[in-house]
Amino acid sequence: TNHLQYSTLSESYFYATITIIPTPTTITLTFVHNRMTPYIDNFSHLGGFAYGVCCGLSTIERLAVGFFSLSSGSWSQIGNTLLRFLGLIISVIMVMITTILLVESDGETTPCHACRYISCVPFPPNTNDKWWNCDDCDFVSAELFQSTDGSGLYTDVSIDCPSGEVEDVIIIDEGFTDREKVRKQLPKYCRQFCDDVFK
């Protein structure tokens, strides 16, 4: 006679494994995907994730004895208590820091220009013909000057760079007579001639 034995402990371990293992992988893949996709604010996602983890630690409930093969010793209880207090303290500190940063911010400038690359990575790398960029050159304005000899050629353009500087670019050799074509070239001129491409 064949005997079948059902093991609750084995099933608990199995479900714990398939539940916990995909979590770091999912977080990593989501972060990489968001960095490779333009105009997704990873700062908001990472901030929400950090707040969620800390608040979750501060309000976490202890599991029942034996659940997922967990032990219930005095050291385990002390560790759980310290973990909850740590989550609460970090949550309060993070709220205070973000509140100070928001109050002191003017809503236009940022103290960390390079931090935007956490949310956006220019792609593809190692080429000037990118699918998307992560600067502010797509929103620049300019003053356009036309030749006075009646040819209709645009001679130069004064670009208002994102940093507030004005750069004069000679474009008469490019033979532009269409204002719309010049407008489409403004982001390229900005990246080529402006020293700072961020606000």
Side-chain angles (χ1 to χ4, degrees):
T1 304
N2 294 324
H3 295 280
L4 298 177
Q5 184 176 2
Y6 178 76
S7 174
T8 305
L9 183 61
S10 298
E11 186 185 57
S12 298
Y13 179 78
F14 172 74
Y15 283 115
T17 303
I18 64 174
T19 302
I20 295 174
I21 287 180
T23 303
T25 305
T26 302
I27 294 172
T28 303
L29 290 177
T30 302
F31 179 70
V32 172
H33 173 266
N34 288 350
R35 286 196 70 199
M36 298 305 295
T37 305
Y39 310 118
I40 292 182
D41 190 0
N42 257 346
F43 258 84
S44 297
H45 287 85
L46 292 175
F49 173 74
Y51 273 104
V53 169
C54 293
C55 291
L57 290 176
S58 63
T59 59
I60 193 171
E61 292 290 337
R62 293 186 67 249
L63 296 175
V65 178
F67 193 77
F68 288 159
S69 305
L70 296 176
S71 59
S72 180
S74 58
W75 285 109
S76 176
Q77 295 179 3
I78 294 174
N80 290 334
T81 303
L82 290 177
L83 191 63
R84 296 181 67 173
F85 275 108
L86 181 64
L88 179 61
I89 292 172
I90 294 178
S91 298
V92 172
I93 293 175
M94 289 178 64
V95 169
M96 293 173 62
I97 291 175
T98 52
T99 301
I100 293 173
L101 291 175
L102 288 173
V103 169
E104 294 184 349
S105 173
D106 60 5
E108 296 181 357
T109 57
T110 173
C112 180
H113 291 312
C115 291
R116 67 176 59 214
Y117 291 109
I118 295 178
S119 293
C120 178
V121 177
F123 189 83
N126 303 323
T127 179
N128 292 327
D129 188 17
K130 299 186 183 301
W131 297 352
W132 63 77
N133 291 275
C134 303
D135 51 38
D136 295 313
C137 283
D138 289 329
F139 309 102
V140 295
S141 60
E143 187 176 358
L144 194 57
F145 299 93
Q146 198 170 26
S147 175
T148 57
D149 60 4
S151 62
L153 288 175
Y154 289 106
T155 58
D156 56 293
V157 58
S158 294
I159 301 177
D160 298 323
C161 296
S163 61
E165 298 178 354
V166 177
E167 291 289 340
D168 293 324
V169 182
I170 306 300
I171 61 172
I172 189 171
D173 293 335
E174 301 188 36
F176 287 125
T177 58
D178 188 348
R179 186 183 184 90
E180 184 64 19
K181 289 183 178 179
V182 179
R183 187 189 66 81
K184 291 181 179 179
Q185 296 297 317
L186 290 181
K188 184 185 77 171
Y189 295 150
C190 171
R191 297 180 184 105
Q192 185 176 355
F193 296 100
C194 292
D195 293 331
D196 191 353
V197 294
F198 301 107
K199 289 183 179 180

